[in-house]
Amino acid sequence: MTVITRFAPSPTGSLHVGNVRTALHNWMWARKHGGRFLLRIDDTDLERSKEEYVEGIRADLAWLGLDIDGEQRQSARFALYEAEFEKLKAAGRVYACYETPEELEIRRKILLSRGLPPVYERKPADAPVPEGVAPHWRFRLDQGAPIEWTDLIRGPQHFDPKAMSDPVVRRADGSWLYLLPSVIDDIAMGITHVVRGEDHVSNTAAQIQMFRALGATPPEFAHEALLVGTEGKLSKRFGSLGMAGLRADGIEPIALVALLARLGTSDPVEPVTSAAPLIDAIDFARFGRAPARFDEAELALLNQKILHHTDYHAVAPRLPLAIGAARWNAIRPNLMTVAEAAEWVPVFDGPFVPPVPDAADRPVLAAAAAAAPALDWDADPWHALTAAVKAATGAKGRALFLPLRRALTGRDHGPDMAELLPLITKDQAIARLSFS
Ligand code: GLU
């Protein structure tokens, strides 16, 4: 069996981290099994769906490295839905309804006031049909047996169809609700695994009957616990900015992938530089039932950790020309984002004006300026320089290293000076040490 998964967003907005997580898990599952990952654009709502969002979804998936093996759009498949709908109608599994929303609301309140579940009450077969009213359509649930499946994350699931309302599948104007087209497509595309948020669990119960009514075996389901932000819900910032905002903040796509792959699972979040080890290890049995907590600070920290061992060639096209492999290796432990690398160019090549040294530090700098010209810059100049200054002034430890670091880099902290100094030209270094 070839594993086929799909990501099925509605193009009525930009992707946020919650959608991306679902897309990621579907993609990982397909890749783990050498299967296929499809993008299905759920654009049955022609009014709210926008082309710019479709393009944004494609761009975001590409940025994240979630390559797709095919794309379908529901708006191009109405003829198929019509044909399948006719089959269900002929089989009596969908039926016309004429109630107004107001009538339904009144019935609901009456049932609730009697302490009964507010389940839709079917009309008798011989109920009068109002004239001149276009019907909407419901799927007739088979109430004969419980609906059961073993969810890959939630385990055994059990629904009593008698406690469920026959779901509306088509509006009076002929437009489709989400439930039925999704099932028709999952069948047509041979979807084997549906990975989605647990807010869809009760939809799944109805959809399992739709698969069977259309003569298909339902796929496997994995319903993941929802993603929440540090304050209980996903922050507005991430909701509204989405991937573009993260990209602008310097978040690497692999950092987001690394975090979202493992968040809410019993596997640790690790600073990987490729998705391969995450794909190998994905296992829905290790996904938790509690909401997964998404923390922007955790993402920023993970991003930083990943940069620490990101190879030069992976980022070279995004670096200033002046930052070559050795310079990248020297500065990467100190970067929060790749863009910050540009701040190091003047430290290497100037223009750079060292801070005015404290009076107490001047002897160290003077000794360094005197010793530097004679040093071989190709042979560990930092250790030679500090040894010479120590011999000349008796300074050691912080009193030796800090004035030199400050004069040479303008900062109190930063990369290992032994690695950094050979990457600054000797003339630049001497000029910085020679305060006036
Ligand atoms: N368009 C649906 C949604 O975004 C798809 C759900 C599904 O995966 O079936 O919720």
Side-chain angles (χ1 to χ4, degrees), residues 16 28 60 64 71 89 91 197 252 292 301 304 328 355 360 364 373 394:
H16 54 71
M28 290 169 72
D60 287 343
L64 288 159
E71 178 184 319
K89 216 159 98 182
E252 299 296 309
L301 203 66
Q304 190 185 6
W328 168 255
V364 163

Side-chain angles (χ1 to χ4, degrees), residues 243-284:
M243 298 307 108
L246 294 177
R247 191 157 47 221
D249 283 352
I251 297 297
E252 299 296 309
I254 188 63
L256 190 61
V257 164
L259 183 62
L260 294 179
R262 293 283 174 84
L263 215 54
T265 75
S266 52
D267 290 318
V269 172
E270 289 167 322
V272 294
T273 53
S274 108
L278 305 172
I279 291 169
D280 287 346
I282 186 175
D283 178 0
F284 289 120

Side-chain angles (χ1 to χ4, degrees), residues 100-233:
T100 63
E102 294 75 26
E103 278 173 65
L104 291 171
E105 188 51 28
I106 290 168
R107 282 307 301 165
R108 217 178 74 86
K109 288 200 172 130
I110 291 173
L111 290 171
L112 285 172
S113 71
R114 292 186 192 152
L116 296 168
V119 173
Y120 174 74
E121 301 154 299
R122 294 174 187 160
K123 292 272 180 326
D126 57 358
V129 170
E131 234 168 276
V133 178
H136 56 278
W137 300 83
R138 287 185 189 259
F139 177 78
R140 186 187 302 277
L141 291 169
D142 174 358
Q143 298 182 331
I147 303 170
E148 289 172 330
W149 77 94
T150 302
D151 196 276
L152 296 176
I153 295 172
R154 298 166 62 87
Q157 302 293 297
H158 180 104
F159 281 80
D160 176 5
K162 290 205 251 342
M164 294 165 61
S165 297
D166 285 343
V168 177
V169 292
R170 197 170 190 184
R171 299 185 190 88
D173 66 2
S175 64
W176 300 98
L177 281 105
Y178 150 75
L179 284 177
L180 183 58
S182 180
V183 170
I184 294 170
D185 284 340
D186 285 341
I187 296 171
M189 295 173 195
I191 301 301
T192 59
H193 295 78
V194 170
V195 183
R196 58 189 181 190
E198 67 180 9
D199 50 329
H200 279 288
V201 169
S202 58
N203 285 339
T204 298
Q207 286 181 320
I208 280 180
Q209 284 211 354
M210 293 179 191
F211 278 99
R212 299 227 163 89
L214 289 166
T217 304
E220 300 279 349
F221 289 92
H223 290 93
E224 32 189 38
L226 298 181
L227 201 59
V228 295
T230 39
E231 272 114 51
K233 59 180 173 85

Side-chain angles (χ1 to χ4, degrees), residues 34 46 88 99 129 210 259 267 298 376 384 419:
L46 299 175
L88 291 176
E99 296 93 340
V129 170
M210 293 179 191
L259 183 62
D267 290 318
E298 188 183 0
D376 178 356
E419 210 175 332

